[in-house]
Amino acid sequence: MSSGLLDRLYLPYLYGAVITLLVANIIMEYGYLQRLIQHGRQLDIPSVKLNVLVHPDIESPMLAGFIAPSILVPISFTLLDESQQQAIIQHEVYHYQRGDLWANILAYGLTVLFWFNPLMWLSYRRFRQDQELSCDAQVTANMKAKAKIAYSRTLLAYSQHAPLSMLHTHYGDKTILKERILQMKKQHGKSTLALIGMTLAIGVSAFMFNQQVFAGNNISVENKTDSMAMPVIRIEPSYPINAAKEGLNGYVQMSFDISSNGSVGNVRVTKSSPKQVFDASAVEALEQWKYQPSATGFKDLQVQLDYVIHQPEKSVERITVK
């Protein structure tokens, strides 16, 4: 049997199987969201026509449901001040008024039909992200500087919890957090003091809410054996709290081996600065990395993890001294 005939017999089954899996996934998600809505505790917010429900399993505010949409919020929502609560509610209400949930399911349906085209998935993600930017712009258009700072804090509070769902909005999308903050800065105008105040507030609130910052923005790997050792999973190390409080920057250089199944082992620190400050965090992260499987594995690879909590101004000349 020719390969062309095999392709014609095989590809339709593959296409149908993938679509079946994607549709099954969205049906399961619908059932999960309905259970959340049914078991949510009603919050009394008279100014909102939609039901606002608090649920312990929710980590970020969302609008969910089609026939009778509800706003689901995490328990931490009740700890926010009234202005922050109102800003979140307005954000989700604007999603509802525009019919974003129906638009999302339509966009997802088109993406499923053309699941084999990566551009469809990229376009779908950008479509969802633009929705969040649009709602932010609507909510913060007439806000004063203090209100924008409060809104920025809520974004930071929920920025670590943002699964891209087809059936609900995703308020805490950390992948476009910087873009959302910059958008609010541009809206504010030319007040330098207000921008500085917002930046300081964002930095402080990020530390208070997340209690850690992530290192590894600058990761360099030197493979002395083979340039084809490709990582498939990189775990970012957590920034030690004491180092973050003191505003310390630093780096850790390590050597390590890769087994034939892609696991990392035999991690040893070869150089670090400041000594013993970031070592444990870096080793713990590197041991969780995964590489593509290979026939024999690799020995004595090197990596440097840079811990940078305060980036220098772009106008400052930087000279590397070795």
Side-chain angles (χ1 to χ4, degrees):
M1 188 179 290
S2 67
S3 60
L5 180 58
L6 283 174
D7 290 342
R8 287 195 293 272
L9 291 175
Y10 171 72
L11 290 179
Y13 288 108
L14 174 63
Y15 178 82
V18 173
I19 286 184
T20 300
L21 289 174
L22 293 173
V23 171
N25 179 56
I26 201 169
I27 292 174
M28 292 175 61
E29 184 177 336
Y30 177 79
Y32 170 71
L33 290 174
Q34 288 302 114
R35 290 192 294 273
L36 291 179
I37 292 173
Q38 291 171 5
H39 296 95
R41 176 169 58 86
Q42 181 79 40
L43 290 181
D44 184 20
I45 303 182
S47 60
V48 182
K49 294 181 180 180
L50 298 176
N51 289 330
V52 180
L53 308 172
V54 62
H55 198 288
D57 293 340
I58 298 299
E59 296 181 322
S60 180
M62 64 179 69
L63 177 69
F66 291 99
I67 305 302
S70 299
I71 298 174
L72 294 168
V73 296
I75 292 178
S76 59
F77 176 85
T78 60
L79 304 178
L80 301 176
D81 61 43
E82 184 178 356
S83 62
Q84 290 175 306
Q85 290 182 353
Q86 287 297 323
I88 291 175
I89 294 299
Q90 290 175 16
H91 180 104
E92 301 304 331
V93 167
Y94 191 60
H95 275 301
Y96 168 71
Q97 292 174 340
R98 290 195 314 194
D100 282 351
L101 288 175
W102 291 103
N104 292 344
I105 197 65
L106 176 60
Y108 182 71
L110 292 173
T111 305
V112 167
L113 290 176
F114 299 96
W115 59 262
F116 49 85
N117 187 342
L119 291 179
M120 291 297 295
W121 293 101
L122 293 173
S123 299
Y124 175 71
R125 176 174 286 275
R126 188 65 234 186
F127 170 69
R128 298 295 304 276
Q129 291 171 344
D130 283 344
Q131 284 182 347
E132 300 306 317
L133 288 166
S134 175
C135 287
D136 287 343
Q138 177 72 18
V139 172
T140 62
N142 298 317
M143 281 186 179
K144 298 189 179 298
K146 288 185 178 180
K148 286 188 177 183
I149 291 173
Y151 190 77
S152 300
R153 288 173 177 166
T154 64
L155 288 178
L156 287 161
Y158 298 120
S159 65
Q160 301 301 317
H161 313 289
L164 183 59
S165 167
M166 291 72 71
L167 299 178
H168 67 71
T169 57
H170 53 122
Y171 178 85
D173 188 349
K174 68 179 180 180
T175 61
I176 55 168
L177 179 61
K178 181 178 179 181
E179 191 174 352
R180 296 172 79 172
I181 299 297
L182 288 175
Q183 175 179 256
M184 284 186 283
K185 286 184 178 182
K186 291 177 181 178
Q187 285 179 331
H188 182 69
K190 299 181 179 180
S191 175
T192 303
L193 291 177
L195 294 183
I196 293 174
M198 182 181 292
T199 303
L200 289 175
I202 290 169
V204 172
S205 58
F207 181 78
M208 294 299 292
F209 278 115
N210 297 319
Q211 298 183 1
Q212 67 174 359
V213 288
F214 287 99
N217 290 331
N218 300 306
I219 300 176
S220 57
V221 177
E222 180 183 353
N223 185 345
K224 295 182 177 180
T225 309
D226 195 317
S227 61
M228 294 306 292
M230 299 297 294
V232 294
I233 297 177
R234 277 182 175 173
I235 304 299
E236 294 188 56
S238 59
Y239 218 104
I241 294 178
N242 290 335
K245 288 181 179 179
E246 297 176 17
L248 294 178
N249 293 343
Y251 67 88
V252 179
Q253 293 179 358
M254 294 170 287
S255 295
F256 64 100
D257 300 336
I258 302 174
S259 65
S260 58
N261 65 4
S263 299
V264 172
N266 193 25
V267 178
R268 57 268 187 207
V269 175
T270 57
K271 187 178 181 181
S272 64
S273 178
K275 289 187 177 298
Q276 301 300 323
V277 174
F278 303 107
D279 296 33
S281 169
V283 171
E284 181 183 4
L286 181 56
E287 288 178 339
Q288 300 177 69
W289 287 21
K290 296 291 183 183
Y291 281 75
Q292 290 180 348
S294 59
T296 59
F298 301 91
K299 297 289 186 181
D300 296 323
L301 277 73
Q302 295 182 358
V303 65
Q304 175 172 315
L305 272 60
D306 295 332
Y307 289 73
V308 181
I309 194 170
H310 295 304
Q311 292 280 4
E313 296 292 334
K314 293 182 179 180
S315 59
V316 177
E317 183 180 7
R318 301 178 65 185
I319 300 175
T320 301
V321 180
K322 298 182 179 180

